[in-house]
Amino acid sequence: MTDQRIEGELPVTDAASAAADVPADATMLVSGFGSVGYPKAVPLALAESDRDLSLTVVSGGSVGEEIDVALVEADAIARRYPYQARSPARAAANDGRMAFADRHISTLGDDVQFGGLVDPDVAVVEAVAVGEDWLIPSGSVGHTPAYVERADELIVEVNHAQPRSLAEFHDIYRPALPPDREPVPLSTPDERIGGPRIEFDADALAAVVETDRRDEPYEFREPTETDRAIAGNLRSFLTDEVERSPLFADSVRVQFGVGSLGNALMGALADADFGDRDLIYFGEVIQDGLLDLLDSGRLEAASATSLALSAEGQDRLFADAERYAEDVVLRPADVSNRPALIDRVGVVAVNSALEVDLYGHANSTHVDGSRVLNGIGGSADFTRNAALSIIALPSTVGDGDRSRIVPMVPHVDHTEHDVDAVVTEHGVADLRGTAPRERARLLVDRCARPDYRERLRAYLDRALDSGGHEPHDLDAALSWHE
Amino acid sequence: MTDQRIEGELPVTDAASAAADVPADATMLVSGFGSVGYPKAVPLALAESDRDLSLTVVSGGSVGEEIDVALVEADAIARRYPYQARSPARAAANDGRMAFADRHISTLGDDVQFGGLVDPDVAVVEAVAVGEDWLIPSGSVGHTPAYVERADELIVEVNHAQPRSLAEFHDIYRPALPPDREPVPLSTPDERIGGPRIEFDADALAAVVETDRRDEPYEFREPTETDRAIAGNLRSFLTDEVERSPLFADSVRVQFGVGSLGNALMGALADADFGDRDLIYFGEVIQDGLLDLLDSGRLEAASATSLALSAEGQDRLFADAERYAEDVVLRPADVSNRPALIDRVGVVAVNSALEVDLYGHANSTHVDGSRVLNGIGGSADFTRNAALSIIALPSTVGDGDRSRIVPMVPHVDHTEHDVDAVVTEHGVADLRGTAPRERARLLVDRCARPDYRERLRAYLDRALDSGGHEPHDLDAALSWHE
């Protein structure tokens, strides 16, 4: 494969010049998902300019410090969707300095295209190659196809530090607008239905900027004893379920949430005994744990929208991209996270949460109900539409300082109607078909840390005095968070 | 059309004999949705028997008093899914005498078929006709196809009081189990992709019982002044949106929640000015308001799973079934409510709620967080997957006794991530793209009843003292519900 990155007579310029043409109050759509594949040079140039900026920045998912640190610290972002995972952005959202709204990943492309959310001015996207009317994204696809289609102007950052061979992973498909929206023609999770290129209107291409700045890689902590105990409980629950359910006669399709726990749980599948069933990943991000499963032959195929790897994982993948690309497909986020496909594939979804309450409602986003952490991301896309939805989390914060099984969550991201089972290091609560009072007993007995069980039972007993289908003592319901 | 109802040599018997063969602790799947098309004679015979029953009863949606009054009062139901709308069932759920769990309508067929929810013994379904290995449902389809497929034994109630011509409305399609689940091959909301018959294994047919008991019809109250003001605000919001969005270039697809307010809102579309765009209903139930729209030629077509009509509406429809069936299709509930189809059709979803909080979370099910009303039904299927999701509700309970815009809802059925706009008789809050603090201001200024606005602002100011992305004062957050 050639390493030519720029094909044709294109408006190549430097980052500062490209940035200077972005209006001070622009709505800027940026590539990036799982902290990879986002533009770096133009956001940095914007941050370093002395202009008084008031940008609306819409990314696919999480992006790196060039945007959520540098631009935020320059006080240049007035409004931000749909996810952030860096302290300065988080602080700005919590202070109210930055109007942040988190959104479901699956519908963000639609939200932008339907026009109810924003009126986009410019898309700034990272690519490994660009031509007059096409580009090839780098380490993530995210919502770049929708953004490129919708923005009036397009700035492409061609990143020479990203291997050209990332093109091998991409499968670009665009759903049409309703009511003429056809079903996505994907019949197996690893099928390819498009090509590596995102096409655009040649007139929209305002600038091409060359860079060679790498994504800041993920750092996964070593699995803790708690991680390993959660993984063990999850493995044992899944093994029984796979044996029992007609859904898993031939294969098991899984999704795991992003992060160190998710990565550790992926690794835990290595020694799961699913008989001769194929294991397939249909999720949002490829993390190191999946590379291990691919290398060992345990994992048949993986579909996602982002390669969110550690530095070592990036090296492994980049060194052998063509081989990995035989089994790994990166799709637009409105394909990877699409409710219809999660349903058709019949996914087992494993996501974490900050806390779960006695009736199975989960809080993934707001500490004590007020302070946002990152955003809901794709967790509800999968939890809501999976064939089996599991919330996996440690029973406490830190070393037992605070229970993650609480009387009432002060913020709900996943309702009781969507959570099938909860797994902690102490056990599994299978909530399917249970009435709320039964759920409470199961969560206390199986999932709570033993030294919190008495307090939880005391709350429940008091709540039962006033009765009700989902008994609460509203006086005390949030007292664990005050 | 012949009025022959029973074709072939079938095990016809009386209700008492059929009921006697239902095990005392059976898991019984029953037809019925929108309080029509449910079995009547066998449940009544069970209720009148002197056996000590401990049944698990799974319906499609709401059913009539023969089940949720008579059987509940006989203390015969130990466990009940997924929805109930009668006082005795509600009381039993709230007392904890009946283990009730409400479930999303769209996935209930799957929940039963995948086997994680229940292990079904017998299906008891109402039909207008039955043969050796097929039946034709009556006024609703609901989850009858899934239930009939899954139950070991089948009892069919042939109801002579239901017109045989109801067959004209039905379009039965069964999705396969994942991972071999194909997209539902529906390209327009009114297309027909199946036939009127539900097929079953002839060996499963245990009994056929003849009845002539009508469904208890809906009673809609006359629209109040508040209903009309909500309808006016909704109409004006929709008219602008239809003009603005590329989604509605040729047609407007709508869904309305069940009930008197929903019915009044449907009627309000009669004088909406959508230019020459077609109006199409893609929802869950057909109510009287839709018949008016069909009769006036304003509505092109309607797709649903149940004919939830008043007595007068039933008379109108039954008198002219063949004509209405040209434009009205009844589908299985896992087609009518399917996320994939709601997305592809690009539905405007209008549902009500008990209350909405400052950040756009809605409570549809639990009064004061504890006492269940009916259940979530299909409201989240539509709210979550619609192209535009609207919660329409009066600003207060009764004549201003209590605000329905509250600081924090004590139960969340629809999260901030899923609600696009809120409409009350005072105005419309368009929440798309707003940060939580902006949402709070909009909801107070546009939707709350004026004499509650000061108290809401006072709460918000206090909450802002402690900061946060979604500021709350946890001490006072639930005080409006205590």
Side-chain angles (χ1 to χ4, degrees):
Chain A
M1 180 176 296
T2 164
D3 195 52
Q4 189 182 346
R5 302 294 185 116
I6 299 177
E7 294 186 19
E9 289 297 312
L10 303 186
V12 176
T13 183
D14 60 281
S17 307
D21 287 338
V22 173
D25 62 351
T27 292
M28 190 168 94
L29 312 176
V30 300
S31 63
F33 201 104
S35 288
V36 301
Y38 58 93
K40 300 163 183 74
V42 174
L44 266 188
L46 283 166
E48 285 161 6
S49 80
D50 51 5
R51 297 163 66 201
D52 190 12
L53 299 172
S54 175
L55 303 169
T56 292
V57 176
V58 188
S59 59
S62 66
V63 294
E65 59 180 22
E66 293 83 350
I67 295 171
D68 277 342
V69 177
L71 268 179
V72 169
E73 286 180 345
D75 205 20
I77 306 186
R79 190 171 287 280
R80 178 85 176 86
Y81 316 113
Y83 192 88
Q84 45 69 36
R86 312 261 163 179
S87 306
R90 191 176 294 150
N94 282 316
D95 292 351
R97 278 178 289 132
M98 181 175 86
F100 171 67
D102 62 326
R103 315 273 314 172
H104 297 299
I105 297 300
S106 63
T107 54
L108 187 65
D110 279 353
D111 292 340
V112 167
Q113 290 216 292
F114 295 175
L117 188 71
V118 285
D119 190 8
D121 298 301
V122 57
V124 186
V125 309
E126 184 175 273
V128 295
V130 61
E132 283 176 9
D133 57 1
W134 57 268
L135 63 86
I136 297 176
S138 58
S140 64
V141 180
H143 283 299
T144 305
Y147 293 176
V148 162
E149 189 168 319
R150 187 68 174 74
D152 297 333
E153 293 212 333
L154 174 63
I155 299 174
V156 177
E157 288 193 11
V158 176
N159 191 338
H160 294 273
Q162 304 274 24
R164 180 75 168 72
S165 57
L166 282 172
E168 305 282 331
F169 293 95
H170 304 319
D171 186 54
I172 310 300
Y173 170 88
R174 289 298 305 138
L177 287 193
D180 300 318
R181 176 165 279 180
E182 300 284 320
V184 180
L186 199 68
S187 50
T188 60
D190 57 343
E191 192 179 353
R192 283 171 184 266
I193 54 176
R197 291 182 174 191
I198 297 174
E199 288 170 13
F200 54 79
D201 175 0
D203 293 338
L205 186 61
V208 172
V209 173
E210 293 181 89
T211 72
D212 57 2
R213 195 177 164 100
R214 274 184 77 156
D215 296 310
E216 194 188 351
Y218 268 83
E219 288 182 26
F220 298 108
R221 58 170 163 69
E222 278 298 300
T224 63
E225 199 179 319
T226 302
D227 292 343
R228 277 192 290 263
I230 298 170
N233 288 333
L234 175 68
R235 190 167 47 225
S236 129
F237 176 65
L238 280 186
T239 307
D240 290 350
E241 189 63 20
V242 157
E243 201 55 51
R244 183 198 66 72
S245 171
L247 285 178
F248 307 115
D250 299 318
S251 66
V252 183
R253 292 79 56 195
V254 294
Q255 171 265 340
F256 287 92
V258 66
S260 289
L261 175 59
N263 191 49
L265 295 175
M266 290 180 205
L269 289 183
D271 46 344
D273 179 12
F274 293 159
D276 55 2
R277 294 171 183 87
D278 284 342
L279 184 66
I280 296 165
Y281 187 78
F282 191 82
E284 196 175 79
V285 291
I286 306 288
Q287 297 195 273
D288 291 41
L290 286 184
L291 292 192
D292 296 337
L293 290 173
L294 282 168
D295 286 347
S296 71
R298 183 75 194 82
L299 187 69
E300 200 68 20
S303 166
T305 194
S306 166
L307 298 165
L309 299 165
S310 71
E312 189 252 326
Q314 287 188 6
D315 290 343
R316 258 164 89 185
L317 183 105
F318 292 173
D320 214 357
E322 278 188 50
R323 184 174 60 81
Y324 280 113
E326 286 174 19
D327 301 321
V328 175
V329 191
L330 294 188
R331 310 181 181 285
D334 45 17
V335 176
S336 67
N337 286 37
R338 191 162 210 84
L341 291 173
I342 297 166
D343 168 53
R344 275 156 50 192
V345 168
V347 172
V348 176
V350 184
N351 291 279
S352 195
L354 294 174
E355 53 191 356
V356 174
D357 75 20
L358 290 174
Y359 303 116
H361 305 269
N363 173 16
S364 304
T365 55
H366 285 75
V367 178
D368 291 332
S370 295
R371 282 177 297 124
V372 72
L373 205 60
N374 302 333
I376 193 165
S379 61
D381 296 328
F382 287 93
T383 300
R384 181 74 169 77
N385 297 292
L388 180 62
S389 297
I390 299 168
I391 302 285
L393 77 178
S395 68
T396 62
V397 178
D399 194 25
D401 305 337
R402 187 173 166 167
S403 179
R404 291 185 188 269
I405 310 294
V406 298
M408 176 188 265
V409 289
H411 186 95
V412 175
D413 294 290
H414 311 294
T415 75
E416 56 171 322
H417 314 289
D418 298 322
V419 177
D420 290 326
V422 176
V423 180
T424 69
E425 73 276 24
H426 296 291
V428 179
D430 184 350
L431 305 179
R432 290 174 294 180
T434 54
R437 296 176 186 201
E438 296 168 326
R439 267 175 243 156
R441 299 285 173 204
L442 279 173
L443 283 162
V444 174
D445 295 348
R446 306 267 169 89
C447 291
R449 186 170 153 132
D451 48 348
Y452 283 101
R453 291 181 189 171
E454 273 320 301
R455 281 184 62 196
L456 286 163
R457 288 189 190 113
Y459 174 84
L460 195 59
D461 287 344
R462 244 189 349 266
L464 279 164
D465 285 345
S466 5
H469 178 243
E470 210 150 289
H472 269 301
D473 172 2
L474 293 188
D475 249 349
L478 300 176
S479 62
W480 291 33
H481 297 88
E482 280 166 30
Chain B
M1 180 179 290
T2 163
D3 196 54
Q4 189 182 346
R5 303 295 186 114
I6 299 177
E7 294 186 19
E9 288 297 311
L10 304 186
V12 176
T13 183
D14 60 280
S17 307
D21 286 338
V22 173
D25 61 351
T27 292
M28 190 167 94
L29 311 177
V30 300
S31 63
F33 201 102
S35 288
V36 300
Y38 56 93
K40 301 162 183 77
V42 173
L44 266 188
L46 284 165
E48 286 162 5
S49 80
D50 51 6
R51 295 163 68 201
D52 191 11
L53 299 172
S54 176
L55 303 169
T56 292
V57 176
V58 187
S59 58
S62 67
V63 294
E65 60 180 23
E66 294 83 349
I67 295 171
D68 277 342
V69 176
L71 267 180
V72 169
E73 287 181 343
D75 206 20
I77 306 185
R79 190 171 287 280
R80 178 86 176 84
Y81 315 113
Y83 192 89
Q84 46 67 35
R86 312 261 164 180
S87 305
R90 190 176 295 151
N94 282 316
D95 293 350
R97 278 178 287 132
M98 182 174 86
F100 171 66
D102 62 327
R103 316 273 313 173
H104 297 299
I105 297 300
S106 63
T107 54
L108 187 65
D110 279 353
D111 291 340
V112 166
Q113 289 215 294
F114 295 175
L117 189 71
V118 286
D119 191 8
D121 297 301
V122 57
V124 186
V125 308
E126 184 174 274
V128 295
V130 60
E132 281 175 10
D133 57 2
W134 57 268
L135 64 87
I136 297 175
S138 58
S140 65
V141 180
H143 283 299
T144 305
Y147 293 176
V148 162
E149 189 168 318
R150 187 68 174 75
D152 298 334
E153 291 212 334
L154 174 62
I155 299 174
V156 177
E157 288 193 9
V158 176
N159 190 339
H160 294 272
Q162 303 275 24
R164 179 73 169 71
S165 57
L166 283 171
E168 304 283 329
F169 293 94
H170 304 319
D171 187 54
I172 310 300
Y173 170 88
R174 290 298 305 138
L177 288 194
D180 300 318
R181 176 165 281 181
E182 299 284 320
V184 180
L186 199 69
S187 51
T188 60
D190 57 343
E191 192 179 352
R192 284 172 183 264
I193 54 175
R197 290 182 174 190
I198 297 173
E199 287 171 14
F200 54 80
D201 176 0
D203 293 338
L205 186 62
V208 172
V209 174
E210 294 182 89
T211 71
D212 58 2
R213 196 176 163 102
R214 275 185 77 156
D215 296 309
E216 193 187 351
Y218 267 83
E219 288 182 28
F220 298 108
R221 58 168 164 69
E222 278 298 299
T224 62
E225 200 179 320
T226 303
D227 291 343
R228 277 191 291 262
I230 298 170
N233 288 333
L234 176 68
R235 189 167 48 224
S236 129
F237 176 66
L238 280 186
T239 307
D240 291 350
E241 188 64 19
V242 158
E243 201 56 50
R244 186 199 64 73
S245 171
L247 284 178
F248 308 115
D250 299 318
S251 66
V252 183
R253 292 78 58 196
V254 293
Q255 171 266 339
F256 287 91
V258 66
S260 290
L261 175 59
N263 190 51
L265 295 176
M266 289 179 204
L269 289 183
D271 45 344
D273 179 11
F274 294 158
D276 55 2
R277 293 170 182 87
D278 285 342
L279 184 66
I280 295 166
Y281 187 79
F282 191 81
E284 196 175 80
V285 291
I286 306 287
Q287 296 194 276
D288 290 43
L290 286 183
L291 293 191
D292 297 337
L293 290 173
L294 282 167
D295 286 346
S296 71
R298 185 73 195 83
L299 187 69
E300 200 68 20
S303 165
T305 194
S306 166
L307 298 164
L309 299 165
S310 72
E312 189 252 325
Q314 287 189 4
D315 290 342
R316 258 163 91 186
L317 184 105
F318 292 174
D320 213 358
E322 276 187 51
R323 184 175 62 82
Y324 280 113
E326 286 173 19
D327 302 320
V328 176
V329 191
L330 294 188
R331 310 182 181 285
D334 45 17
V335 176
S336 66
N337 286 38
R338 190 163 210 85
L341 291 173
I342 297 166
D343 167 53
R344 277 157 48 193
V345 168
V347 172
V348 176
V350 183
N351 291 279
S352 196
L354 294 174
E355 53 191 354
V356 175
D357 74 20
L358 290 174
Y359 303 115
H361 305 270
N363 173 17
S364 303
T365 57
H366 284 75
V367 177
D368 291 333
S370 295
R371 280 177 297 122
V372 72
L373 206 60
N374 301 334
I376 194 166
S379 61
D381 296 327
F382 287 92
T383 301
R384 182 74 168 78
N385 297 292
L388 180 62
S389 297
I390 299 167
I391 301 286
L393 77 177
S395 68
T396 63
V397 178
D399 194 25
D401 305 337
R402 185 173 168 166
S403 178
R404 291 185 187 269
I405 311 294
V406 298
M408 175 187 265
V409 290
H411 186 96
V412 175
D413 294 290
H414 312 293
T415 75
E416 55 172 322
H417 314 289
D418 299 321
V419 177
D420 290 324
V422 176
V423 181
T424 69
E425 72 276 25
H426 296 292
V428 179
D430 184 350
L431 306 178
R432 291 173 295 181
T434 55
R437 296 176 187 200
E438 296 168 326
R439 264 174 246 157
R441 298 287 174 203
L442 280 173
L443 283 161
V444 174
D445 294 349
R446 308 268 170 90
C447 291
R449 184 169 155 132
D451 46 348
Y452 283 100
R453 292 181 189 171
E454 274 320 302
R455 281 184 62 196
L456 286 163
R457 289 189 190 113
Y459 174 83
L460 195 58
D461 287 344
R462 249 193 341 271
L464 279 164
D465 285 345
S466 5
H469 178 244
E470 208 149 288
H472 270 302
D473 171 3
L474 293 188
D475 249 348
L478 299 176
S479 62
W480 291 33
H481 297 88
E482 279 164 29

